[in-house]
Amino acid sequence: MHSREGIGEDAIRRYLVEQIAHRSRVEPAEVDPDRPLEEFGLASRDAVAVAGELEQLLGRALPATLVWEHPTINRLSAALASGADLTPSAPVAASASAPAPVADARADEPIAVVGVGLRMPGGARDLTGPDDFWRFLLDRGDAVREVPDGRWDPFDDGSPEVGDLLARTTRLGGFLADVAGFDAEFFGISPREAAVMDPQQRLVLEVAWEAFEHAGLAPAALRGTRTGVFVGVSAPEYAAFTASDLAALEPFTATGAALSVIAGRLSYLLDLRGPSMIVDTACSSSLVSTHLAVQALRGGEADVALASGVNVLLSPTVTMTFDLAGGTAADGHCKPFDASADGMVRAEGCGAVVLKRLSDARRDGDRVLAVIRGSGVNSDGRSNGLVAPNSEAQKALLRDVYAAAGIDTREVDYVEAHGTGTFLGDPIEARALGEVLGAGRDAGSPLLLGSVKSNLGHLEAAAGVAGLVKTVLALHHGVIPPSNHFTEPNPHIPFDDLRLAVVAEPTPWPAHGRPRRAGVSGFGFGGTNAHVILEEAPAAEVVREDVPVRVYPLSDTSEGRVRAYAAELADWLDRSEAGGVAQGVADADLARTLRRRDGRGRARAA
């Protein structure tokens, strides 16, 4: 397609690449035509100057706001070559990347979990993917360790009073080994901006990308689509950190510390056009995020949704307050439903699930790990104290969610409980589960319970998604991992009467001649409760491509990174010979998956 002056789109693109390279002092090969021009360091004056130079090149009037309306070289080149009148008074033609019309959706449409990403504490090392996490759970992994060296140093002013306070503060927790590391180059973020980004922003970017790739979706292919982002987050410690030293403020300090930007930055970088928001209901945040993502998919606001949660423990402050309130366990472990339960231990990490309507997932040939059949949220109201749980509210939520989903409560096999391991909270939760989901069961078929907090600690805003990912993987594999630290039942819970049993050993999922089903619960200490119903994925026909040549496309931001990517893939395949996670993967399946998720960058190989 050519402009009125006969200058084609490719010529305009080359001209813009040269101009941007000159103004930003980089080589033309380093200019990504899909990257917003502002990210090359162009000031407003530069953008207006570029518009003026294009006027001379094309011989026609152009608005000064041109670069803001078409922020990348590719979009700007296409708009200019179209020959359309780009003055503000002219009607704007539909963008090629604009979201498609709202798809038909049903209020009860099952929602498919098609991808998982995570960065969880694993003790001596971080857990970096679903396979790693699954092995950790089956092996009774324990993530609790001492606070990393240097983490609390900024709070120690050297005084004996503060030193004594820190010495008496619980030092155990589910800590990540590395919260500072971040691949800024991969995301096209300058080192200066990356240096003042909340670690929670960094974690969400990396984990979300990994979740999309796990789903077989190329993040670059989501550009301009109605993809929603819902992130549970409640820790504002980084903002307090960076705002305390006025002399060290940077232009990026505000966006680096704003909690809202945790979701907004992901939508910005991937050019996602669906709903984008953070959710803060404390410890139920990520399950509420999942509920909102489900609602957006069923309502047609989104066609793909990422539901996530993140938590980073940068300060001893909240831990100290929990210690003062008697809420932390003396041995630094959550012991859900056990007689020794004496409190919880804090933890940090990030998890994410990629969701699509089940009908869309089937149409697109996606691998479905599990299905969300229903979800709901309510509040404790005026309970026995602001942070006290309310059994009646928990029971009401369970009844409402299962009734709305049309599922018999006796057909729920397992519940991933909130299960913090507090002597009072556990009996309240257990009674609510028993009276609603345990009622009417045979003594030999109790409702099974567990809590991932027994492995990781309490991830607070990310706690719900940690339990959700665990349960999705359990449904996918047909095995329920053991709940750690359960040796003697809490005497205040009548397990037999309530038809409840804690999963203390790896347990094959009970077979009842119907789909496997589970619930996941999360409660916020401000009173917001959430519950999600999961079901095993429906059987899918396996269709393999029978072609003689297998092509494995690889791409990244530089040639060196492509080579590293190829080496990583080769190592993964080599491990399959020893029974690793790649064992049994067909060549055609690998080729198809790599084609689907191709698009990491402009450096390419095959």
Side-chain angles (χ1 to χ4, degrees), residues 105-462:
R106 301 195 330 258
D108 61 347
E109 169 102 33
I111 301 301
V113 181
V114 297
V116 167
L118 60 92
R119 194 73 45 77
M120 297 291 176
R125 62 180 183 84
D126 294 343
L127 307 174
T128 57
D131 295 316
D132 199 13
F133 188 43
W134 181 243
R135 289 191 296 270
F136 175 82
L137 294 173
L138 288 183
D139 293 343
R140 299 180 179 276
D142 187 344
V144 174
R145 65 188 184 102
E146 284 263 344
V147 61
D149 290 341
R151 181 74 70 91
W152 290 354
D153 286 356
F155 301 90
D156 188 351
D157 63 2
S159 68
E161 295 82 8
V162 170
D164 182 56
L165 284 172
L166 290 174
R168 287 188 282 115
T169 299
T170 298
R171 299 187 63 82
L172 294 173
F175 293 102
L176 292 171
D178 180 15
V179 295
F182 177 58
D183 195 347
E185 178 190 4
F186 181 84
F187 291 100
I189 297 173
S190 70
R192 183 179 177 188
E193 182 171 9
V196 292
M197 283 170 56
D198 187 334
Q200 295 176 125
Q201 291 186 25
R202 306 176 194 175
L203 279 170
V204 168
L205 289 181
E206 294 184 336
V207 169
W209 189 285
E210 292 162 9
F212 284 130
E213 287 200 329
H214 186 252
L217 299 174
L222 296 172
R223 181 177 294 121
T225 64
R226 190 178 282 106
T227 297
V229 176
F230 304 84
V231 183
V233 59
S234 58
E237 295 173 341
Y238 189 77
F241 241 173
T242 54
S244 61
D245 184 359
L246 297 181
L249 294 182
E250 291 269 359
F252 301 114
T253 298
T255 52
L259 293 183
S260 62
V261 174
I262 292 173
R265 191 183 290 276
L266 177 63
S267 296
Y268 166 75
L269 282 174
L270 299 185
D271 192 15
L272 308 178
R273 305 300 178 86
S276 183
M277 65 190 73
I278 64 154
V279 177
D280 182 4
T281 58
C283 307
S284 58
S285 296
S286 52
L287 273 195
V288 175
S289 295
T290 305
H291 170 70
L292 293 175
V294 168
Q295 297 293 90
L297 289 165
R298 287 176 167 173
E301 289 183 303
D303 297 321
V304 178
L306 181 101
S308 178
V310 64
N311 194 50
V312 172
L313 310 179
L314 298 179
S315 159
T317 305
V318 174
T319 303
M320 293 171 78
T321 63
F322 285 173
D323 283 352
L324 292 170
T328 45
D331 64 355
H333 288 95
C334 297
K335 301 173 283 291
F337 308 111
D338 193 79
S340 64
D342 60 347
M344 62 85 170
V345 65
R346 303 181 71 208
E348 60 190 6
C350 181
V353 291
V354 179
L355 309 177
K356 296 175 75 171
R357 290 181 286 271
L358 180 59
S359 57
D360 292 349
R362 283 173 159 167
R363 176 200 66 203
D364 298 337
D366 296 320
R367 172 190 55 186
V368 178
L369 302 171
V371 170
I372 296 177
R373 286 288 307 276
S375 62
V377 174
N378 78 355
S379 174
D380 282 343
R382 195 164 177 82
S383 59
N384 188 31
L386 174 63
V387 299
N390 184 337
S391 181
E392 292 303 315
Q394 292 176 21
K395 287 186 283 188
L397 177 62
L398 293 170
R399 293 190 186 102
D400 290 347
V401 172
Y402 286 94
I407 292 178
D408 187 329
T409 54
R410 294 169 296 181
E411 294 187 352
V412 181
D413 307 309
Y414 170 76
V415 167
E416 173 66 21
H418 185 63
T420 52
T422 56
F423 206 65
L424 178 63
D426 285 358
I428 290 174
E429 181 177 12
R431 184 165 295 278
L433 290 169
E435 291 184 11
V436 178
L437 302 182
R441 292 175 185 261
D442 295 334
S445 299
L447 174 69
L448 302 178
L449 302 180
S451 173
V452 76
K453 294 179 180 68
S454 67
N455 302 96
L456 303 175
H458 189 349
L459 273 83
E460 298 164 357

